[in-house]
Amino acid sequence: MITESQITEIGRLNQPHGIKGEINAVAYDGIELSELSCIILDVDGIFVPFFMSGIRRRGTQSYLITIEGIENEQKASSIANKTIFALSDEVKQYTDNDEDGFYAEDFIGFRIISSDGELNGIVTDIDDSTENVLFIVKADSGKKHLIPVADEIITGIDIENRQLTVELPAGLLEI
């Protein structure tokens, strides 16, 4: 049995990608998922190893992974939005070179609230396919929005409550 003292938090599983069981994963800086024998998830209070059968890079810290036994979107959804752990002895220590200590990927799953009350939602993913990184936000209304990850837009970070406050430029939600 795997105990909490034997593991280290290394990232997060996000939403399924496609219908064949692939899932979006974000690993913390310096972590290479391909170097791990398995990832570990908390399933009903028990740390369970999951073995990856496929790994594709999606960005600097983002991956699309396939896990043995997860062959469809429904099964992938059952493990979505979970913290990823690895065996501590497999994880290389990494240093965080970002001056404020945060990366866009760290905010996936955070509630995002605009200071004017126009937007309330959850950061479901990031788009780092261009130089300007964007939060992909699913609003409480169900609509999807792209919000730039920029110091001048993010006005508050509440780590404990997993919440971001943003000041949105006029018209951004209409795009």
Side-chain angles (χ1 to χ4, degrees), residues 2-3 20 24 45-46 57 65 73 94 104-105 139 145 149 154 174:
I2 300 170
T3 63
K20 296 187 178 184
N24 289 296
I46 299 170
R57 272 212 181 269
I65 63 173
E73 184 179 8
Y94 59 93
E105 293 92 348
H145 297 284
V149 179
I154 300 170
E174 281 80 51

Side-chain angles (χ1 to χ4, degrees), residues 61-110:
Q61 295 166 287
S62 301
Y63 298 85
L64 294 175
I65 63 173
T66 306
I67 297 173
E68 291 178 14
I70 307 287
E71 304 93 17
N72 59 48
E73 184 179 8
Q74 184 178 6
K75 286 183 179 180
S77 292
S78 72
I79 61 169
N81 300 314
K82 288 191 175 277
T83 300
I84 304 171
F85 300 92
L87 296 170
S88 295
D89 59 353
E90 288 188 1
V91 178
K92 296 177 186 172
Q93 290 297 325
Y94 59 93
T95 56
D96 191 31
N97 295 323
D98 190 21
E99 61 190 46
D100 64 4
F102 297 109
Y103 291 92
E105 293 92 348
D106 296 336
F107 298 111
I108 294 173
F110 272 54

Side-chain angles (χ1 to χ4, degrees), residues 6-97:
Q6 296 173 302
I7 59 176
T8 301
E9 184 177 330
I10 62 158
R12 183 159 183 82
L13 288 179
N14 295 315
Q15 298 298 316
H17 179 79
I19 60 171
K20 296 187 178 184
E22 207 169 31
I23 192 163
N24 289 296
V26 175
Y28 297 151
D29 191 35
I31 302 294
E32 287 294 329
L33 292 183
S34 61
E35 295 177 7
L36 304 174
S37 63
C38 65
I39 59 172
I40 299 166
L41 304 177
D42 181 341
V43 179
D44 298 327
I46 299 170
F47 294 108
V48 179
F50 287 83
F51 299 92
M52 297 174 287
S53 57
I55 302 173
R56 295 188 298 147
R57 272 212 181 269
R58 187 170 176 216
T60 56
Q61 295 166 287
S62 301
Y63 298 85
L64 294 175
I65 63 173
T66 306
I67 297 173
E68 291 178 14
I70 307 287
E71 304 93 17
N72 59 48
E73 184 179 8
Q74 184 178 6
K75 286 183 179 180
S77 292
S78 72
I79 61 169
N81 300 314
K82 288 191 175 277
T83 300
I84 304 171
F85 300 92
L87 296 170
S88 295
D89 59 353
E90 288 188 1
V91 178
K92 296 177 186 172
Q93 290 297 325
Y94 59 93
T95 56
D96 191 31
N97 295 323

